[in-house]
Amino acid sequence: MALAWTRSTVEAPAAQTDSPFVARIELTGPVGPAAAEYVDGSIQRANDDGARAIVLQLDTPGGLVESMRDIIAHILASKVPVLGYVAPSGARAASAGTYILYACPIAAMAPATHLGAATPVDIAGGTPMPSPLDNGLPKSSRSSEKKAPDTGVQPDAESKKVLNDAIATIRSLAQMHGRNATWAEQAVRGAATLTSSEAAAQHVIDFVAPDIDSLLAQADGRVVQADNQAITLATRDVPVRDYLPNWRARFLGIITNPTIAYVLLLAGIYGLILEAFHPGSFFPGVVGGICLLIGLYALQLLPVSYAGLILMALGVALLLAEAFIPTAGVLGVGGVIAFVLGSIMLFRTDVPGYRVNVGVIVGIACCAIVMLALLLRLVMRARRARAFNGDKQMLQDTGELLQAVMAGGEAWARIGGERWRVQCEAALPAGAPVRVISRQGLLLQVTAARAGEGEST
């Protein structure tokens, strides 16, 4: 699942009341389109309901830049202060989660949590990692960092632009809330990480809180900026109301799981193929069409490699061609290879949380190999099998007369399990075994069968 929430029975908070409350939004898992829609909608609802504050509880490995920026924009635009909280113990706010935590007016972490490793991932899969000794970092910071080994590879202009944009984003967020901007740059430039106690000591976060009650108690009385206004927090002993995702956010959370999207895409393709081979069955066509459309919708929300998608389509096409073109498995093997490579390349694997389960790819590839082997076995068996129709085969058939025949006359006989009109030069009684010697249209020329020859089946 791209998203996970602890309580799933309530779709929306209760209607606004006069009693004060703090809204809690739990973001667990990769930051993607479903997460952004859930967080953005919950922040808006909390503002409309008159919450005193919003606790955004984080446990994420990171995710997509577009979704992260969408969440940050809603945090900065919220009239209600957002308290970023990395919890429970063992949780993390890595990569995109670090940016989101920096965007919150209050940043806190539970014990045994960590944040950082916020270096942007290049679209092509590379990770620009220039030395943290460059680009204007203070000398004190330079001396504390170990110089990265020189690989001889210089980042291109596009990588520099992406990196510098990420640095500017996190530094501006740090300066807005008076946090450690130098370490923020190190987290982006050198993938630096900190534990909760280290983050508090270096003023990356405001404090460490073991639970949400401690978080609200320590935040009480602090003055923060929200929607360009100074707000004094009054959160001590205020009840917490959970804001849970609605059905749409849950649905998006399911289909935007890369493995689910991958399986939906394949189910759609094979469903339409089965409908094409068995027209009129409707069920595989209807189900396949629905799965294909949902899978394509999910893919357009995810970081998809179109080269991988084209390779997958080529693999399926080659496997289908193997069924009609006798190539002794050349097209089929090429199709399996193209399909596996396309599946591996389908998603940008360096984006945290957006990888297709390798076991699923291996399982589907094994099924394709088994089907290919079965198809080749059937083709070879068909080539070795004797013909079942035609004049050549009919000359080997025997049967029996259904009625007596006069010399040079015609009668009916059962040959090859079928009734045929036959002509015989010799007179034979009904039930006599005969053998076909020639055919003239629908009339067979027969003669008496030798001893030991019986009716063919």
Side-chain angles (χ1 to χ4, degrees), residues 230-254:
I231 298 176
T232 302
L233 294 174
T235 55
R236 185 182 295 273
D237 298 327
V238 176
V240 177
R241 180 186 300 173
D242 288 317
Y243 277 62
L244 300 172
N246 57 23
W247 68 269
R248 175 181 167 83
R250 296 177 191 279
F251 178 69
L252 289 178
I254 294 173

Side-chain angles (χ1 to χ4, degrees), residues 110 143 181 240 254 299 305 312-313 318 369 417:
S143 61
V240 177
I254 294 173
L299 290 182
S305 168
M312 286 181 60
L318 291 176
I369 293 174

